[in-house]
Amino acid sequence: MVGAAEEAQLNRLENQVDNGGGGDWEYLCLVRKLKVRRSDKVLKHGLSILNDPKRRSKLGGEVWTLYEQVAVAAMDCQRIDVAKDCVKVLRKQFTESLRVGELEAMLLEAKGSWEDAEKAYSNLLEDNPLDQVIHKRRVAMAKAQGNISVAIEWLNNYLETFMADHDAWRELAEIYVSLQMYKQAAFCYEELILCQPTVPLYHLAYADVLYTLGGLENLQAAKKYYASTIDLTGGKNTRALYGICLCSVAIGQLAKGRGKEDKEGSELQSLAATALEKDYKKRASNKLPLLTATLRNLKLQSS
Amino acid sequence: MAEDLVLDTAIRDWVLIPLSVVMVLIGILRYFVSKLMRTSQSPDAKIIKEGQIVIRARNLRAAANFIPLKSFRARKTYFSNEEDGLLHVPQGQAQNPQAQMLSDPNMAMDMMKKNLSMIIPQTLTFAWVNFFFSGFVAAKIPFPLTQRFRSMLQNGIDLSTVDVSYVSSRSWYFLNLFGLRGLFSLILGEENATDDTQRMMQMSGFGFDPSKSLSAEKDSLDIVQHEWVLPKFEKRAEAVLRKLLH
């Protein structure tokens, strides 16, 4: 994840580079380091360095990294011709390299020739059955083709071995949510919370899944996770505030249906509603009537 | 009587300096030779998996209180189940390093290569020093030392009357052998320094057993008490919101 300070620096550099202020190599290095996706810029500035023999030779050994970066960016922008040239140069330099093999397979993938790419990846995997990048590319490929079930299968295979890779868990969770397989998604989000217990987004997503699953127990848990999201974000997450309101209403309805009084008569929901109102007043006052109407429907309006 | 011993400048020019230079050169040579012989070790799937299991179990232990009890129980069983839990190492299947080495000739080969690149030049230089420079008093250190240092500094001279601050040529060789690490890390880069002492430690520590870390992790997972912290968060969220509103 990219921190605020790093992003500010990145944007500053990008601005500078776009206006011809130099520093494009630093910009490319930063993009690579932060792993952000700014393919169009990378392609434009990287290519201008690569097309200038003087600057190219000044980079020394770093030039090959730049070739790789530009190749991937070019694939992302569908400039297959540029990517092809870059990969060709790299292949000439590193005849036996696995990394270039990956790039070649990615090139096939970018062209849309799935079968060839699949074949290439399988070949690469035979030599290095433990290469994480290749495993992930295969998942991405299955997803790109729309074979969600295959993607899930690959991901599960991958997680069998690399079970501490939280990015893979996150991907799997999102896929499960998209397929409405909420129980499985909940498991993945639990895994993510275990991995990074202080990231509010995982709490929020887990709460969403629990709320969607429904049932008194899940709703109560969902409310708690919305509460923890509020705690972790300092009450700035609108979705969590709404979540609290909706959960309280749903819990209230369920409890009433069973003839039990809601013992947890906490004032959390009214607080959340008030916080929402305050937030809307400050940032989107024209939408305020909409909110009050909604809250009135939920019978949660304060005052 | 220490003042009586005058060291010939020829000893400095033909023993002390050549010895040091040769030691440095050999160290560099050895670095490049071992770099040539090093094979890139392809990691074993099982070892990687075990490492990942340990990381995941550790995460579970550290953040157990953030997930509901039911989820925690399910995971705990998954990890430390007596029959087929991930952390459970069946009795007797725990590979001991010797057996592992026998089953994997590459491992033994690798170790041998490492040792060869270390031992051969050392024996050769030691023989060379012994042959040409035995019995020289090669240097004098500028401060007095106690008798204890005699065996360290005057290896090869069996005279108890020589002051301890004189260093024999063979001892000079040993001092160089173990003391040049700082210089190597300057020349060859920080992590590339050929460090004999460290390498010896590695050898004695060789045979680290991953199954041990598995069972250790299992033990600590077994004693984790689950106490869901989320209920507390509702109160905390209330406090946060109240603060926000006022």
Side-chain angles (χ1 to χ4, degrees):
Chain A
M1 249 170 257
V2 185
E6 282 158 333
E7 194 177 349
Q9 192 193 357
L10 185 73
N11 288 333
R12 192 177 52 75
L13 258 177
E14 186 174 277
N15 230 333
Q16 183 187 332
V17 172
D18 280 346
N19 296 326
D24 41 2
W25 171 244
E26 286 75 21
Y27 171 68
L28 292 171
C29 284
L30 195 65
V31 167
R32 206 182 313 135
K33 193 179 131 210
L34 300 179
K35 293 185 181 142
V36 288
R37 183 171 175 178
R38 310 245 166 135
S39 298
D40 49 338
K41 306 265 188 230
V42 168
L43 181 62
K44 190 174 147 208
H45 301 304
L47 211 55
S48 75
I49 294 184
L50 286 182
N51 284 335
D52 185 351
K54 221 196 290 161
R55 297 195 62 188
R56 209 169 49 200
S57 62
K58 221 165 95 188
L59 288 176
E62 297 273 7
V63 75
W64 309 117
T65 336
L66 182 60
Y67 269 116
E68 189 186 20
Q69 194 182 7
V70 171
V72 174
M75 286 174 210
D76 200 15
C77 298
Q78 279 297 309
R79 288 289 305 273
I80 304 290
D81 49 329
V82 176
K84 214 179 200 164
D85 290 343
C86 289
V87 174
K88 216 181 268 168
V89 173
L90 283 171
R91 179 48 91 193
K92 219 167 151 193
Q93 173 71 17
F94 306 101
T95 34
E96 308 245 311
S97 165
L98 170 73
R99 233 161 113 177
V100 180
E102 277 169 24
L103 277 180
E104 280 168 350
M106 274 168 79
L107 193 61
L108 290 173
E109 207 185 316
K111 278 186 208 153
S113 39
W114 305 114
E115 272 135 51
D116 292 341
E118 178 66 43
K119 221 181 279 163
Y121 283 131
S122 316
N123 279 340
L124 290 174
L125 268 185
E126 250 165 50
D127 296 334
N128 304 277
L130 293 169
D131 195 297
Q132 300 190 23
V133 177
I134 300 177
H135 281 288
K136 287 183 176 176
R137 285 308 325 159
R138 283 179 113 181
V139 175
M141 213 163 73
K143 216 178 147 190
Q145 283 171 280
N147 285 335
I148 302 293
S149 54
V150 178
I152 289 180
E153 198 187 314
W154 285 125
L155 256 180
N156 275 321
N157 262 339
Y158 170 79
L159 281 169
E160 189 82 18
T161 312
F162 300 96
M163 49 174 68
D165 184 344
H166 57 262
D167 288 329
W169 281 111
R170 186 169 167 185
E171 184 66 39
L172 188 59
E174 276 159 18
I175 291 178
Y176 277 138
V177 167
S178 76
L179 290 180
Q180 308 186 351
M181 295 162 80
Y182 296 116
K183 276 205 176 115
Q184 287 85 341
F187 182 89
C188 298
Y189 279 120
E190 279 164 13
E191 205 58 49
L192 283 167
I193 291 175
L194 285 177
C195 243
Q196 295 170 317
T198 51
V199 175
L201 289 177
Y202 298 153
H203 287 250
L204 183 64
Y206 184 48
D208 284 346
V209 171
L210 285 177
Y211 176 78
T212 317
L213 273 172
L216 189 58
E217 201 182 325
N218 282 334
L219 284 172
Q220 276 164 348
K223 195 176 161 196
K224 291 189 175 68
Y225 279 96
Y226 280 126
S228 68
T229 312
I230 288 177
D231 185 37
L232 289 168
T233 53
K236 296 219 170 61
N237 193 312
T238 314
R239 192 182 176 89
L241 292 172
Y242 271 121
I244 291 277
C245 297
L246 288 172
C247 276
S248 310
V249 173
I251 291 172
Q253 275 169 358
L254 273 180
K256 214 184 278 168
R258 292 185 189 180
K260 275 186 276 181
E261 275 302 301
D262 186 12
K263 271 173 264 164
E264 298 173 53
S266 68
E267 47 179 331
L268 190 57
Q269 61 255 37
S270 58
L271 273 173
T274 327
L276 269 177
E277 273 174 354
K278 192 181 165 195
D279 202 31
Y280 269 75
K281 239 177 243 163
K282 204 164 107 196
R283 292 198 293 180
S285 47
N286 55 338
K287 300 254 167 62
L288 191 59
L290 217 58
L291 175 77
T292 23
T294 315
L295 290 180
R296 197 176 302 134
N297 280 344
L298 294 174
K299 291 181 193 133
L300 265 174
Q301 199 188 15
S302 60
S303 76
Chain B
M1 88 154 242
E3 275 75 20
D4 295 341
L5 267 180
V6 175
L7 298 183
D8 195 341
T9 49
I11 289 187
R12 182 193 64 204
D13 294 348
W14 293 103
V15 179
L16 194 72
I17 294 172
L19 240 175
S20 311
V21 170
V22 164
M23 290 305 295
V24 172
L25 288 182
I26 283 180
I28 293 172
L29 191 73
R30 207 165 70 196
Y31 164 70
F32 285 112
V33 168
S34 68
K35 204 172 162 189
L36 274 182
M37 294 211 294
R38 197 181 305 150
T39 48
S40 65
Q41 227 174 6
S42 61
D44 185 26
K46 193 165 166 265
I47 291 175
I48 287 191
K49 193 177 172 189
E50 277 172 357
Q52 298 267 320
I53 288 173
V54 169
I55 295 176
R56 196 172 158 205
R58 205 167 286 158
N59 283 340
L60 173 63
R61 198 153 48 89
N65 296 340
F66 280 92
I67 58 171
L69 180 61
K70 214 162 63 181
S71 315
F72 174 72
R73 279 218 186 112
R75 278 181 175 74
K76 194 171 160 182
T77 324
Y78 178 58
F79 277 117
S80 61
N81 181 8
E82 281 300 331
E83 276 151 29
D84 54 354
L86 280 182
L87 289 173
H88 184 62
V89 185
Q91 212 73 46
Q93 208 190 311
Q95 270 183 324
N96 73 5
Q98 254 80 31
Q100 206 178 355
M101 214 160 79
L102 283 179
S103 69
D104 184 4
N106 263 337
M107 215 160 175
M109 191 70 182
D110 251 27
M111 251 181 74
M112 215 159 78
K113 272 184 196 164
K114 254 188 218 159
N115 283 3
L116 277 186
S117 73
M118 191 163 84
I119 289 170
I120 289 183
Q122 258 177 39
T123 359
L124 285 181
T125 36
F126 185 71
W128 174 71
V129 168
N130 239 356
F131 187 74
F132 283 103
F133 305 124
S134 64
F136 274 107
V137 172
K140 180 179 187 295
I141 44 176
F143 44 84
L145 285 168
T146 55
Q147 289 294 326
R148 290 260 171 177
F149 285 92
R150 186 177 294 282
S151 59
M152 186 177 124
L153 292 179
Q154 293 187 352
N155 203 321
I157 302 176
D158 297 327
L159 290 174
S160 53
T161 46
V162 186
D163 192 277
V164 185
S165 54
Y166 288 96
V167 183
S168 76
S169 56
R170 205 194 286 173
S171 294
W172 182 247
Y173 160 75
F174 281 118
L175 285 180
N176 274 322
L177 185 65
F178 292 110
L180 281 178
R181 187 180 153 221
L183 194 64
F184 284 138
S185 66
L186 273 184
I187 301 173
L188 304 172
E190 202 55 61
E191 70 272 27
N192 299 331
T194 46
D195 183 2
D196 295 300
T197 39
Q198 228 170 47
R199 217 178 258 177
M200 276 176 201
M201 298 243 292
Q202 247 174 31
M203 270 171 56
S204 58
F206 181 78
F208 159 76
D209 193 355
S211 64
K212 270 206 191 95
S213 63
L214 282 188
S215 51
E217 201 54 47
K218 176 172 181 277
D219 289 344
S220 36
L221 192 60
D222 276 337
I223 55 170
V224 169
Q225 297 283 326
H226 185 270
E227 189 196 339
W228 202 24
V229 290
L230 263 294
K232 271 187 224 148
F233 270 97
E234 279 185 88
K235 292 270 170 284
R236 279 170 68 174
E238 265 178 47
V240 166
L241 286 181
R242 220 171 265 145
K243 210 168 146 197
L244 197 73
L245 292 176
H246 288 300

